[in-house]
Structure formats: structure tokens, C-alpha cells
Amino acid sequence: MEFPKFLLGDNTDYPTAIFVVHTEYPRFIINLEDDEVEWLEDFSKEDQKELEAEAESLIEEASAFYDREVSRYEQ
């Protein structure tokens, strides 16, 4: 099964949270309410350096994905 790069997540236990799931490596879930990120991968020290450089861009993409989805819903 193929998944889109980003998915929106919702849970009634967290009514104000805005979860975006990144399904490609490095997989993560971000809560856009507070920008908290939970990585779904284990990283070596070498990987962490590369990840730090890529993380900001991925988080910006996740936020842009959410904005796009909300704008489509509002139309």
C-alpha cells in the first residue's frame, strides 16, 4: 500500500491538537499546536547531524501541507 507523504491526524482526547504525520523517512508526528515533534525512527549520531539539517525543512513542509488542506476544505 502506498501512503501520501503527509497525513492529518485527529483524536478527541486532544481536542486542540493538530497532528501531521510524515510517512517517509525520517518518519515523525508533529503537533502544530505547539510544534512538538515525535520521531518514529531510531537515529545514530551520524544520522542526527543530517536530521538536524533536514528537520526544519520537513517541519515547514508539514505546516504548509496543513495550510493547503485547510484552504481546500474551506472552499
Side-chain angles (χ1 to χ4, degrees):
M1 178 185 303
E2 191 171 324
F3 294 106
K5 184 175 183 175
F6 293 105
L7 299 169
L8 290 177
D10 191 22
N11 188 304
T12 56
D13 292 336
Y14 303 90
T16 61
I18 303 168
F19 296 112
V20 176
V21 181
H22 182 253
T23 63
E24 298 176 356
Y25 184 85
R27 296 172 304 144
F28 65 87
I29 301 171
I30 183 171
N31 182 351
L32 296 178
E33 176 186 38
D34 58 12
D35 291 335
E36 184 176 345
V37 176
E38 179 71 28
W39 297 99
L40 305 175
E41 311 282 356
D42 293 323
F43 300 106
S44 67
K45 290 185 180 188
E46 295 80 26
D47 289 342
Q48 282 184 317
K49 291 179 183 179
E50 182 179 327
L51 176 65
E52 288 172 2
E54 189 176 352
E56 185 175 341
S57 174
L58 289 172
I59 291 168
E60 287 175 7
E61 285 183 52
S63 182
F65 164 77
Y66 174 76
D67 291 342
R68 185 192 78 191
E69 292 298 299
V70 168
S71 73
R72 287 179 177 176
Y73 180 75
E74 291 173 346
Q75 294 174 358

